[in-house]
Amino acid sequence: MFVVCALLAPLLPASIGYDPYAQVAPRSVSPPTPPSRDNWLGTDTLGRDLLSRLVFGARISLEVGVLATAIALLIGTALGAAAGYAGGRTDAFLMRATDLVLAFPAPLLALAIIAAVPEPETTPLLRSLPHPSVGVVFLVLGCLGWASIARLVRAEFLRLREQDFAQAAQAMGAHGARVVLRHLLPNALRPLIVVATLGIGGNILMEAWLSFLGVGARPPLPSWGTMITEGQEYFLAKPWVCLAPGLAILLVVLGFNLLGDAISDRLDTRRRQRVA
Amino acid sequence: MRTSEPRASLPGLARAALLLPVALAGMALLACTRGPSPERAEQVFRFRMHEDPPTLDPALSNDQFSEAVILNVHRGLVELDPETLEIRPAVADSWTISPDNRVYTFHLRDGVRFHNGRPVTSQDVAYSLRRLLKKETRSPRRFLLEPIEGAQEFTDGTSDAVRGLATPNDRTVVLRLAKPFAPFLSELTMANAAVLPREVYDDPQKAYLRAPVGCGPFRFGRWEQSNFIELLAFDGYYGGRPALDRAVIRMIENKTSALQEYIAGGLDSLDETPDENDTAMMAKVGQEVHKYPFMGTGYIGFNLSLPPFKGNAALRKAFNYAVDKKYLWEVLIPGGNIPANGIIPPGIPGHDKDLPGYPHDEAKARSLLAQAGYPAGKGLPPVALWVNTGEGNRQIASQIQADLKTIGVTIVIREVDWAAYIAAVSGTKDNAGQAQMFRFGWYLDYPDADAILRPLLHSSNWGPAGNFGRYKNPEFDALVDKALAVTDPKERAELYRRAETIAVMDDAVWIFLNYYQASTLYKPYVKGVVLSPLGEFRLPLERLRIERGTH
Amino acid sequence: MPVLLAAATIVWIFVFFLPGDPARLIAGGQAADPEVLETIRHEWGLDRPAPIQYMTYLGKLLRFDLGSSYIQARSVVSIIAEHFPPTFILAMAAVVLAAVSGLVLGSLAALHRGRLLDSSILILALLGTSMPVFWLGLILMLLFASRLSWLPVLGYGMEGAVIPFTAIRLPEWDHLVLPAVTLSLVSMGTIARITRASLIEAGTADFLQTARAKGASGARVFARHALQNALIPVVTVVGLDFASLLGGAVATEYVFAWPGLGKTIVRAIGLRDLPVVEGGVLFLTGIFVLVSLVIDLLYLVLDPRIHYTPTA
């Protein structure tokens, strides 16, 4: 439970009084400056308060993690459900498509696509988002990450479809969409939650990776990945600039992974109890 | 030579001339006496390059990394001494220039051989120059030979020969220019004008791209891409076999990794230096840091064809006053570049240390911004600043973003890879591109103000040809053109000073950011290092030796 | 095969619409004049209508011709041939390390289920998967190469042995250690957890108890029965990890200056060297398909209960 708390804490708005964009280090000292009473974690490469940026950066990183996973979940569930429920040719076609997406080297493809949008701020659709450069990242990650979810949903559906309640519902004349939404989907929801928690962690890491290669959130936005990348120049001299955001990622992703584990453990026991 | 990388790093290496005056003539070079004796430890020098050189074809070379290799493997008629910046004899050991400054006659040195053993003749020189001019070669540096009479007709294919190029005998090359052109000899010192053996470079399979052959001090060893390039001492080099047996160029992208490798001893030199405030590190390697100015200027270009900068000099001046160059280079990123007051860097005739420039002045910036029609930034939509991917660029751009924020101007940073960057910045002849502002650095190919004023600001290069800011001022053009035909150095410098004053003080064509200063690490046992104003990659490898003492 | 064709098509469409003018890049400079650009476009077929460019591309593909690099003036196949072996060796070493350590840790955890050792192994396993890999790499480099000087900082080395009859040069082995360990820590966690889960699923603990009661040695029973059961999901994970590492080792390749394929493709993306991007992505896709096939075949070997009946 404390893990969940750790997860939610950074979600709180930056309330410690510092603007993550203000250059607070004195103009006479070369940033990054070391931790001090005013700046608990010191300042970053531009003399901005590192803690404020870390707290604010949590939003950006979680925005990517959560929204990318949500998109993947949406697409994956829809396609997986369609394949699993409809079967036959639809199933075969959708599963080939899934295979295809799975076979692509997703990180490289994501990199190439994001590199192809040099001006997210003026691109329609992206323009209306609060952080266009972050928007393109989560959109792309979401659109590339649905395949394994589709597979999972399909497998669940195939299993559930044969079970009594679904058969009964169908026999009673309920039509397709109703069966899917009312009966099948709720039952497939639990494994999906596990996958989703794991996915959020994975997508946060992907954002960091993309930032490292220069296509993540754009300055001055402080995503954790961007902060590590900016800080790694100073890794030898002023390690805190790079270590702090790295540890933040570590803790949050670890948190999500543990959460996923915990949920799946509970599912297991329940399922077993039901069987018993 | 242009780059958008903020930190200095430059082209090729060269030369060995100090040791060998003219006396070498006739000497049997292959029987060189300075071969390694068995008991002597192998002399290896390892340095780092950010990435593989894009090409090793001298004609196609257009960047610092390519030149770093080419200028060690190849030699041209003349060369630029990286230390004194004098033009020195190379394959030609002497030359004469006619009184009307139009005819250059070069006498080839005796005993110059290619790495394959064949002696160099005037035919090879003619072949190499024609190759550079040929349309099919598609050299981005064809213009270097443009002043030669008949060059254009040859390139166009309307003439089979270059009218101004003649080889009266095996040892003489005569070049006739259409009109006098002061920097012509300087242009011949460039890597692109290297002398090449025809039998190697006529290969349709282009094997020479991976195994170049020249007549420079080092012959090409191995090249494993993204890993290393190995150069080996050439026993038959006309200047005498280099002291080094091998030079290894290691490709390492990541700066932090490279620094650790240098400290661990895997590199003998590094084009990056540690943070000056890192006392522990500076105690360890501080003695090995070498700083020296080199000929280059960094700036933020304004696109004068795009709003809001089009026809609004007050706005451009406001931006200039708002950016604190002193803080940028003395506090934020200390130890490297020098705050700039103009265009022509120190050391180049025409540099004006008394040019006022635009020292940081927030009040002036605000009033000029109001004068420009945007009081406190009101009414000015966000302005895009384009940079190419690279950590240093991001830090600089972010600082400029923050500085301009203080006078109420919003900057959006577009950080994109090189290809997207150059497309957005250069645009086409009819399309001004997308980049309202862009960060650029320019390294002068040779020590002449023309080598920066003309390519970047003369209207003949307007648009994608290099004048990306699309600056056009007839008065400026006239001064720069006039200087080319003038031979008195004092008078030339004065003309350049006047041209610079117009572009800086009247037109504020850029945000004038910095003059470059190289900052390079050399291990103490590396002797003979030349701190060249042409940058660390112009280090003449053949002058180096390793003196480790006893092992 | 249809998967590959579809992949080829998608990659082509995508690359076709990438902004940036390839002709300008081929020209080698930013300042090429329009006429030169025009000839280049013509020569490379960039001025032809899209469907024709596409058909040419497919036709070449059938002959395993991936085209030529815009920048390097040599074939994409030769570029892949140069950079794939280093990546392959790195991924292989990482996966072997990860599999061995993952199996051992996972088994230990399963055998001590619910106890302190179990939960510490689980946390440890998760740590590796929860870190940005380049960050981990930098820390390992600082620790083991810079501070302790046990291992080389970076690089592939210059003197590794050349595999006879090929142009492939092996890395110097000590240069391989740090990048391989960095990468392996990422997949080790997953493998350990899968091993643990499937051992528990297979009821290892009960197995062992029964077997011990019958007097058999614990280790033998464990190896013979339990581990064999666990192997199938582990093989799947290892195989897929391996395939994705081939493209996913990029950050590690950057940090350790490893001359790999992933890095080459990333650079090609930045330089708009489109044939290299196309060829590289397609090649990695093909490898992935191939590895999946091998995994399927391995099932047959590992579990006699599985039979493939030829359908369609």
Side-chain angles (χ1 to χ4, degrees):
Chain A
M1 274 306 102
F2 103 94
V3 172
V4 181
C5 293
L7 280 180
L8 293 180
L11 275 172
L12 300 171
S15 55
I16 38 177
Y18 274 123
D19 175 352
Y21 302 123
Q23 297 186 299
V24 293
R27 290 287 261 199
S28 55
V29 187
S30 292
T33 55
S36 67
R37 224 182 46 185
D38 286 339
N39 312 107
W40 292 355
L41 290 177
T43 60
D44 78 346
T45 52
L46 237 51
R48 299 171 294 202
D49 182 57
L50 197 63
L51 183 60
S52 312
R53 287 182 71 74
L54 212 55
V55 170
F56 191 75
R59 284 203 228 164
I60 308 282
S61 285
L62 287 175
E63 186 181 324
V64 172
V66 171
L67 291 180
T69 311
I71 294 171
L73 219 50
L74 213 67
I75 304 177
T77 312
L79 295 184
Y85 184 78
R89 268 200 201 157
T90 321
D91 182 27
F93 174 76
L94 286 175
M95 279 307 105
R96 287 291 81 75
T98 311
D99 286 346
L100 176 66
V101 173
L102 275 178
F104 273 133
L108 292 178
L109 216 56
L111 185 82
I113 297 174
I114 298 170
V117 188
E119 289 193 285
E121 290 86 353
T122 57
T123 311
L125 186 72
L126 293 170
R127 197 170 38 195
S128 48
L129 295 169
H131 311 301
S133 65
V134 178
V136 63
V137 173
F138 70 67
L139 277 177
V140 169
L141 290 184
C143 292
L144 287 173
W146 55 267
S148 54
I149 293 173
R151 264 201 185 165
L152 178 85
V153 172
R154 171 179 172 269
E156 280 293 305
F157 268 43
L158 287 181
R159 189 173 64 81
L160 293 170
R161 201 172 59 172
E162 304 310 315
Q163 281 179 7
D164 301 345
F165 65 93
Q167 304 269 345
Q170 232 160 358
M172 283 161 70
H175 64 83
R178 198 183 152 84
V179 177
V180 168
L181 289 177
R182 287 292 297 272
H183 300 283
L184 296 180
L185 208 51
N187 280 290
L189 211 54
R190 288 160 200 281
L192 275 181
I193 294 174
V194 177
V195 176
T197 26
L198 297 177
I200 293 175
N203 282 323
I204 291 178
L205 288 177
M206 271 300 278
E207 192 277 332
W209 184 86
L210 288 168
S211 294
F212 180 73
L213 296 177
V215 297
R218 300 277 165 84
L221 282 182
S223 88
W224 289 343
T226 316
M227 291 173 69
I228 297 184
T229 311
E230 286 169 2
Q232 67 116 3
E233 284 253 324
Y234 294 86
F235 189 65
L236 299 173
K238 298 164 176 177
W240 67 88
V241 197
C242 180
L243 286 179
L247 283 174
I249 291 190
L250 176 62
L251 285 179
V252 167
V253 177
L254 188 65
F256 275 114
N257 283 342
L258 285 173
L259 189 69
D261 270 13
I263 298 175
S264 81
D265 273 359
R266 287 185 65 184
L267 287 183
D268 273 1
T269 34
R270 252 197 231 162
R271 204 177 270 169
R272 225 160 270 169
Q273 279 163 354
R274 218 186 297 154
V275 174
Chain B
M1 185 86 28
R2 57 178 76 107
T3 174
S4 197
E5 295 281 327
R7 271 213 70 259
S9 22
L10 259 215
L13 312 235
R15 280 250 31 107
L18 277 183
L19 323 163
L20 49 125
V22 197
L24 278 170
M27 184 173 156
L29 280 154
L30 288 175
C32 182
T33 49
R34 277 182 62 198
S37 55
E39 64 270 22
R40 182 171 146 272
E42 194 193 22
Q43 297 238 326
V44 188
F45 176 69
R46 300 156 299 171
F47 64 107
R48 172 249 194 174
M49 235 180 231
H50 180 76
E51 57 190 29
D52 289 295
T55 181
L56 292 183
D57 183 339
L60 301 183
S61 157
N62 197 18
D63 70 283
Q64 56 203 3
F65 295 139
S66 302
E67 291 199 1
V69 178
I70 291 168
L71 288 173
N72 274 298
V73 172
H74 298 278
R75 280 292 180 268
L77 283 171
V78 284
E79 64 184 344
L80 192 61
D81 187 303
E83 194 167 14
T84 62
L85 301 186
E86 284 164 0
I87 296 169
R88 307 187 56 97
V91 171
D93 66 358
S94 67
W95 60 88
T96 56
I97 303 174
S98 66
D100 65 352
N101 286 315
R102 282 187 56 209
V103 184
Y104 290 65
T105 308
F106 295 90
H107 307 285
L108 300 200
R109 187 191 298 271
D110 286 324
V112 181
R113 283 169 191 276
F114 289 119
H115 300 150
N116 62 13
R118 189 170 71 69
V120 175
T121 71
S122 60
Q123 290 308 310
D124 296 306
V125 178
Y127 164 74
S128 308
L129 297 182
R130 275 201 300 268
R131 180 170 183 271
L132 183 60
L133 278 172
K134 234 170 35 184
K135 192 180 194 172
E136 294 73 37
T137 310
R138 280 200 210 108
S139 170
R141 296 291 192 103
R142 191 199 141 270
F143 65 85
L144 293 175
L145 301 185
E146 185 82 62
I148 300 177
E149 203 179 2
Q152 190 59 50
E153 289 89 328
F154 178 74
T155 305
D156 292 343
T158 51
S159 162
D160 287 341
V162 183
R163 236 180 308 129
L165 166 62
T167 51
N169 63 47
D170 242 21
R171 318 239 46 87
T172 311
V173 178
V174 180
L175 297 175
R176 199 171 61 249
L177 309 191
K179 57 177 192 223
F181 185 74
F184 183 64
L185 263 188
S186 295
E187 295 199 337
L188 286 183
T189 65
M190 310 232 7
N192 311 87
V195 180
L196 309 171
R198 173 179 215 144
E199 66 273 21
V200 177
Y201 283 81
D202 266 349
D203 175 13
Q205 302 300 316
K206 298 190 177 177
Y208 54 82
L209 286 176
R210 304 275 291 175
V213 176
C215 58
F218 289 86
R219 63 198 165 82
F220 199 78
R222 295 181 287 166
W223 182 8
E224 285 184 15
Q225 282 201 337
S226 307
N227 192 2
F228 66 85
I229 286 176
E230 185 183 51
L231 304 178
L232 305 167
F234 174 41
D235 290 328
Y237 177 52
Y238 63 80
R241 183 189 191 277
L244 292 179
D245 299 306
R246 281 195 299 151
V248 178
I249 304 163
R250 299 185 60 191
M251 268 46 92
I252 303 169
E253 293 90 349
N254 195 288
K255 174 184 168 180
T256 311
S257 306
L259 199 52
Q260 296 196 52
E261 178 71 341
Y262 174 82
I263 291 162
L267 291 168
D268 305 311
S269 165
L270 180 61
D271 58 328
E272 303 272 6
T273 48
D275 188 327
E276 298 221 313
N277 302 301
D278 184 357
T279 42
M281 183 72 75
M282 287 309 278
K284 215 186 280 178
V285 300
Q287 296 296 312
E288 299 163 20
V289 175
H290 299 260
K291 280 189 207 157
Y292 45 103
F294 76 95
M295 315 182 307
T297 303
Y299 63 94
I300 305 286
F302 296 119
N303 193 322
L304 305 180
S305 288
L306 291 177
F309 302 111
K310 189 174 179 177
N312 196 340
L315 183 66
R316 306 197 291 266
K317 288 177 188 169
F319 275 43
N320 256 300
Y321 280 119
V323 173
D324 189 347
K325 298 114 187 168
K326 234 172 132 56
Y327 174 74
L328 193 58
W329 304 119
E330 287 170 11
V331 181
L332 189 70
I333 312 171
N337 301 321
I338 308 159
N341 61 341
I343 301 168
I344 305 171
I348 305 296
H351 170 70
D352 185 356
K353 67 176 183 349
D354 299 324
L355 189 73
Y358 298 92
H360 183 225
D361 189 334
E362 227 180 284
K364 253 189 201 164
R366 281 178 209 282
S367 78
L368 277 162
L369 187 64
Q371 203 183 315
Y374 307 103
K378 262 195 259 338
L380 183 65
V383 180
L385 167 59
W386 289 69
V387 298
N388 67 312
T389 316
E391 193 39 55
N393 267 336
R394 178 183 295 188
Q395 205 180 355
I396 294 164
S398 300
Q399 181 56 43
I400 287 164
Q401 186 180 42
D403 275 348
L404 286 168
K405 192 86 215 166
T406 59
I407 62 163
V409 173
T410 304
I411 297 290
V412 216
I413 297 175
R414 304 241 191 278
E415 188 182 339
V416 294
D417 52 52
W418 177 253
Y421 171 82
I422 204 68
V425 169
S426 61
T428 62
K429 272 258 181 249
D430 331 297
N431 175 342
Q434 301 150 272
Q436 293 167 296
M437 290 165 76
F438 51 93
R439 158 141 178 75
F440 230 94
W442 182 265
Y443 306 137
L444 280 70
D445 290 323
Y446 45 86
D448 192 314
D450 188 65
I452 183 165
L453 295 181
R454 178 173 303 273
L456 299 183
L457 294 168
H458 194 278
S459 67
S460 62
N461 289 317
W462 195 90
N467 181 353
F468 296 148
R470 283 142 170 95
Y471 176 56
K472 191 171 204 165
N473 184 335
E475 208 184 332
F476 174 90
D477 285 356
L479 286 166
V480 172
D481 287 340
K482 192 173 167 204
L484 263 197
V486 171
T487 40
D488 174 40
K490 266 223 170 92
E491 198 187 331
R492 283 193 78 202
E494 182 49 37
L495 287 169
Y496 286 133
R497 254 194 292 275
R498 278 169 55 198
E500 186 190 32
T501 309
I502 292 172
V504 176
M505 300 317 295
D506 298 351
D507 294 335
V509 289
W510 306 334
I511 297 178
F512 307 94
L513 283 186
N514 64 286
Y515 300 126
Y516 283 104
Q517 175 165 277
S519 169
T520 314
L521 285 165
Y522 289 103
K523 295 278 187 194
Y525 52 75
V526 181
K527 307 292 182 194
V529 169
V530 169
L531 303 177
S532 171
L534 299 168
E536 55 257 74
F537 288 108
R538 284 294 284 269
L539 176 70
L541 289 179
E542 72 278 8
R543 296 190 200 175
L544 292 187
R545 51 190 200 282
I546 306 292
E547 285 174 13
R548 278 178 201 268
T550 46
H551 285 288
Chain C
M1 214 47 215
V3 170
L4 281 182
L5 180 69
T9 309
I10 291 177
V11 170
W12 183 84
I13 291 175
F14 165 68
V15 161
F16 187 79
F17 286 106
L18 263 184
D21 182 357
R24 199 182 283 272
L25 291 160
I26 301 169
Q30 306 86 21
D33 69 87
E35 201 185 317
V36 173
L37 293 184
E38 212 35 65
T39 16
I40 291 176
R41 274 190 205 107
H42 183 73
E43 203 169 289
W44 286 77
L46 296 167
D47 57 348
R48 278 181 280 177
I52 297 190
Q53 284 193 45
Y54 173 65
M55 291 317 288
T56 326
Y57 160 77
L58 278 191
K60 281 180 164 180
L61 214 55
L62 285 177
R63 293 176 313 227
F64 293 101
D65 178 356
L66 296 171
S68 295
S69 159
Y70 288 160
I71 313 271
Q72 292 192 37
R74 62 175 176 144
S75 75
V76 174
V77 171
S78 75
I79 292 174
I80 293 177
E82 177 162 359
H83 292 290
F84 181 61
T87 295
F88 181 85
I89 292 163
L90 176 60
M92 202 60 173
V95 141
V96 168
L97 270 177
V100 170
S101 51
L103 275 173
V104 169
L105 287 178
S107 311
L108 278 176
L111 291 174
H112 297 83
R113 191 182 178 200
R115 274 179 266 165
L116 185 65
L117 186 64
D118 179 23
S119 36
S120 15
I121 286 179
L122 274 182
I123 300 264
L124 188 78
L126 279 174
L127 272 182
T129 36
S130 306
M131 278 183 260
V133 61
F134 55 92
W135 190 74
L136 175 64
L138 276 174
I139 290 175
L140 291 181
M141 176 192 282
L142 186 69
L143 219 60
F144 293 101
S146 289
R147 289 269 189 277
L148 297 169
S149 309
W150 289 353
L151 291 162
V153 177
L154 51 74
Y156 189 79
M158 288 182 68
E159 306 307 331
V162 175
I163 299 177
F165 308 114
T166 67
I168 300 169
R169 199 169 61 74
L170 297 173
E172 290 175 41
W173 73 269
D174 54 341
H175 282 78
L176 177 62
V177 178
L178 273 183
V181 167
T182 305
L183 268 186
S184 75
L185 285 179
V186 177
S187 31
M188 180 196 82
T190 327
I191 296 175
R193 290 164 64 201
I194 300 264
T195 310
R196 172 180 177 272
S198 38
L199 283 176
I200 288 170
E201 185 96 348
T204 314
D206 308 337
F207 238 134
L208 282 178
Q209 245 163 15
T210 330
R212 279 217 198 89
K214 288 186 190 161
S217 112
R220 225 172 100 197
V221 176
F222 180 72
R224 168 89 50 93
H225 300 280
L227 217 47
Q228 200 180 357
N229 276 319
L231 224 47
I232 288 195
V234 172
V235 163
T236 314
V237 173
V238 170
L240 295 184
D241 258 0
F242 172 71
S244 60
L245 272 189
L246 293 176
V250 182
T252 314
E253 289 172 1
Y254 265 96
V255 168
F256 290 101
W258 197 260
L261 183 59
K263 201 170 69 174
T264 308
I265 297 176
V266 170
R267 253 190 81 193
I269 292 174
L271 294 171
R272 296 288 181 280
D273 195 350
L274 304 181
V276 177
V277 179
E278 269 174 358
V281 167
L282 214 56
F283 175 78
L284 287 174
T285 310
I287 294 282
F288 190 95
V289 172
L290 197 72
V291 171
S292 321
L293 242 145
V294 172
I295 295 173
D296 286 350
L297 292 178
L298 272 180
Y299 287 166
L300 285 178
V301 181
L302 288 175
D303 192 342
R305 280 172 299 183
I306 298 179
H307 293 286
Y308 284 104
T309 41
T311 49

